[in-house]
Amino acid sequence: MHSILYGVLFILLAPLIGGFLAGLDRIITARMQRRVGPPILQPFYDVFKLFQKKTIMTNRFQAPYIICHLIFMIFTGFLFFEGSDILLTVFVLAVSSIFFVLGAYSSKSPFSFLGAERELLLIMAYEPMVLITLVGFFKIAGSFHIYDIIASGKPLIAYLPGIFLGFLYILTIKFRKSPFDISYSHHAHQELVKGITTDLSGKTLALIEISHWYENVFLLGFVFLFFGFNIWIGLGVTLAVYFLEILIDNTFAREKWEFVLRTSWIAAFVLGGGNLILLYIFM
């Protein structure tokens, strides 16, 4: 019963937490660039404004694809915080990503089409590391169920340092931060060419923003798993990781997709794969 309650709390609170973190991101980014920056509630103002704007559809399939993307993203977080099977959770996340790509493919815009192509490349880049992370969790906890992993009481970070570093590397892709924001970004310098969201407007673009907030909270929950043996250490490291992603975002210029794909696979097989090999040798 409690597990379902946590899932429901995620559905209710994740947009608030995600929007608040997005506002914090903008303020920290502005400070790094010696600007005052917008108020912390600005992401909420932006989304409310998008809901009031006229939505222009390039075709009748676009809206259903985006709505399905949001529904499956919410379901991903619900499964995770409800303590379900983490394999199922990652599978539902992949389905959500595919609906996002289909929404862009349904457009006739070459910018949208190119953004969809790049989004597929990013999925290819981060999925190996995600799967290696799940195998690492199973090797230590003996279960794919999230609450079993936490209940094991083992400090996963002590057994999976390489996997954690590899996961941090691909986390920049999932947060859509520079230098890996090749398909879509929130930054002003990409407003003219918004990649996969080029043909989205009004309510559909607002749904994408809300989906992004849900996804960010889910991803931070994933980071927390490594430190689940202590809630305060877990929360502290999770916030530190989010700050690190903002710092990386403001430090590095955007890379080409070849670099993203190559280095992500190297990180997965060297850091993640190496960690797994050592686990199977010594445990």
Side-chain angles (χ1 to χ4, degrees):
M1 184 63 186
H2 285 163
S3 60
I4 295 176
L5 179 63
Y6 292 141
V8 173
L9 285 175
F10 167 80
I11 294 174
L12 297 176
L13 298 180
L16 300 177
I17 299 171
F20 177 78
L21 288 174
L24 192 64
D25 184 343
R26 291 188 188 185
I27 290 176
I28 294 174
T29 297
R31 295 292 190 272
M32 288 180 178
Q33 298 170 356
R34 297 185 179 182
R35 295 186 288 110
V36 175
I40 197 166
L41 297 180
Q42 187 63 45
F44 296 103
Y45 301 150
D46 292 344
V47 165
F48 289 143
K49 194 173 182 179
L50 284 171
F51 274 118
Q52 294 170 355
K53 285 187 173 294
K54 182 180 179 181
T55 303
I56 299 174
M57 299 285 183
T58 56
N59 60 71
R60 61 193 177 92
F61 303 108
Q62 201 173 44
Y65 283 140
I66 298 305
I67 291 171
C68 285
H69 164 64
L70 175 61
I71 290 173
F72 276 93
M73 186 60 71
I74 294 173
F75 191 43
T76 298
F78 174 82
L79 289 174
F80 183 84
F81 286 93
E82 187 263 344
S84 186
D85 190 314
I86 201 166
L87 282 174
L88 176 62
T89 304
V90 170
F91 173 75
V92 177
L93 176 66
V95 173
S96 173
S97 300
I98 293 301
F99 274 115
F100 190 24
V101 172
L102 288 175
Y105 269 135
S106 68
S107 167
K108 300 297 183 184
S109 164
F111 297 114
S112 184
F113 191 87
L114 186 61
E117 293 280 326
R118 289 183 171 188
E119 185 70 14
L120 286 178
L121 285 168
L122 291 180
I123 293 173
M124 289 171 56
Y126 66 70
E127 279 296 339
M129 189 62 237
V130 172
L131 294 177
I132 288 173
T133 303
L134 302 187
V135 175
F137 286 165
F138 181 83
K139 178 63 180 171
I140 301 302
S143 172
F144 281 117
H145 278 80
I146 294 161
Y147 283 166
D148 289 342
I149 294 172
I150 296 175
S152 69
K154 295 179 179 176
L156 295 182
I157 185 63
Y159 297 92
L160 307 172
I163 288 178
F164 179 68
L165 291 176
F167 187 78
L168 281 186
Y169 193 83
I170 60 104
L171 197 61
T172 307
I173 299 175
K174 293 297 293 173
F175 275 132
R176 303 183 184 285
K177 299 291 189 186
S178 185
F180 299 154
D181 54 341
I182 62 173
S183 72
Y184 163 55
S185 171
H186 295 84
H187 287 308
H189 67 265
Q190 291 186 334
E191 280 183 353
L192 291 179
V193 182
K194 285 285 287 180
I196 196 168
T197 59
T198 299
D199 271 353
L200 300 180
S201 62
K203 295 181 180 63
T204 51
L205 191 56
L207 295 181
I208 291 296
E209 288 298 315
I210 294 172
S211 173
H212 192 59
W213 295 348
Y214 272 110
E215 185 176 21
N216 283 355
V217 175
F218 159 71
L219 292 172
L220 292 176
F222 218 104
V223 173
F224 179 85
L225 270 186
F226 285 92
F227 304 88
F229 60 94
N230 185 301
I231 186 170
W232 298 113
I233 294 176
L235 288 174
V237 173
T238 301
L239 288 175
V241 166
Y242 192 71
F243 178 79
L244 177 65
E245 291 296 337
I246 297 172
L247 180 63
I248 292 172
D249 190 35
N250 286 279
T251 305
F252 296 95
R254 184 205 275 183
E255 291 289 350
K256 294 181 178 179
W257 68 265
E258 293 94 335
F259 177 86
V260 180
L261 192 61
R262 183 173 61 250
T263 58
S264 297
W265 284 358
I266 290 174
F269 293 113
V270 174
L271 295 172
N275 198 154
L276 276 184
I277 291 172
L278 291 176
L279 282 178
Y280 277 96
I281 291 175
F282 294 106
M283 289 188 68

